Amino acid sequence: MPLPLFRLPAPAQREWLVDRLARPAPPSALGLSDGFRLPGRSGPPKAAAVLVPLVNRPEGLQVLLTQRSADLPDHPGQISFPGGRVEADDLSHAAAALREAREEVGLPSDRVVVLGQLPEYETVTGYRVTPVVGWVEPPFAVTRDPIEVADVFEVPLAFLLDPVNQQRHFRMLGEVRRDFFAIPYRDRYIWGATAAMLLILDRTLRDDA
């Protein structure tokens, strides 16, 4: 069933999102991390934050995503949200997410209104990620960091939040089977942590919708 969000005009959409994100997370949005850690990544998780940028376009809300550089040590070449480790001088997870978005794609913080946060997600690389949902008001220019970001693109939020498009895939790592979420979109393959956080968003917004 389509979310009520997509039947509302833009100002009401923002208010609806703020209300939904302020509620306690439903059980269905919790525990989506699979507990798998890559070899050599044991130990306490490191704090990280990502921005889930909802861009207010005339054709409907879009989600801004990046494709990570193939040369990065963590998640090379994968599709992700702008984000990274929480630094000592970041005042909050939201501040960290906004800083990372400025650094990675040049997104000005004054074009973003933070709507709320989603439940944490723990990655296979040992990061405990807080997704920060932001409303992005165009116009803004994308200036990607060529070291970290290979590409920047947008996907309709309605597509990502349609359960028909949310899939469960697996890969074999030697003799270990690893199951993960995936949301293929055209020639893009959104999977792993990013897909899981989109499902967390979907289940949070869909609760009692």
Side-chain angles (χ1 to χ4, degrees):
M1 178 183 298
L3 285 166
L5 170 70
F6 299 114
R7 299 194 296 268
L8 301 173
Q13 284 183 328
R14 196 162 82 171
E15 294 176 6
W16 190 90
L17 288 164
V18 169
D19 176 70
R20 288 285 164 176
L21 294 169
R23 302 180 184 185
S28 63
L30 303 176
L32 296 192
S33 302
D34 59 15
F36 177 82
R37 284 283 190 91
L38 292 174
R41 296 304 184 100
S42 59
K46 307 174 191 68
V50 298
L51 184 67
V52 182
L54 307 183
V55 185
N56 181 26
R57 299 290 187 191
E59 63 271 26
L61 288 172
Q62 309 288 307
V63 179
L64 186 147
L65 294 164
T66 72
Q67 182 169 353
R68 294 168 61 82
S69 168
D71 299 324
L72 292 176
D74 290 337
H75 310 285
Q78 292 185 18
I79 292 171
S80 67
F81 297 113
R85 188 195 299 254
V86 176
E87 303 292 351
D89 55 352
D90 289 322
L91 298 179
S92 63
H93 288 91
L98 291 171
R99 173 183 55 75
E100 288 283 348
R102 287 195 307 272
E103 295 173 358
E104 291 185 12
V105 300
L107 181 62
S109 298
D110 62 2
R111 307 305 298 173
V112 185
V113 175
V114 173
L115 304 179
Q117 296 182 180
L118 296 171
E120 297 172 337
Y121 180 88
E122 193 165 318
T123 70
V124 298
T125 48
Y127 288 92
R128 181 171 290 154
V129 182
T130 298
V132 177
V133 182
W135 180 278
V136 183
E137 201 63 48
F140 60 90
V142 169
T143 307
R144 65 180 179 86
D145 179 342
I147 296 175
E148 294 193 37
V149 179
D151 195 13
V152 182
F153 61 99
E154 295 180 8
V155 179
L157 179 64
F159 180 91
L160 297 169
L161 299 191
D162 187 339
V164 171
N165 301 321
Q166 299 163 1
Q167 302 173 13
R168 191 72 167 158
H169 294 178
F170 75 91
R171 290 181 180 175
M172 298 301 297
L173 300 177
E175 296 183 355
V176 178
R177 170 173 166 150
R178 187 192 162 205
D179 294 87
F180 54 86
F181 294 105
I183 309 176
Y185 175 72
R186 296 182 178 173
D187 60 342
R188 311 280 188 176
Y189 188 62
I190 306 166
W191 69 287
T194 302
M197 286 185 272
L198 286 166
L199 262 78
I200 292 171
L201 174 63
D202 179 49
R203 294 176 182 187
T204 299
L205 299 182
R206 200 171 291 281
D207 185 49
D208 294 328

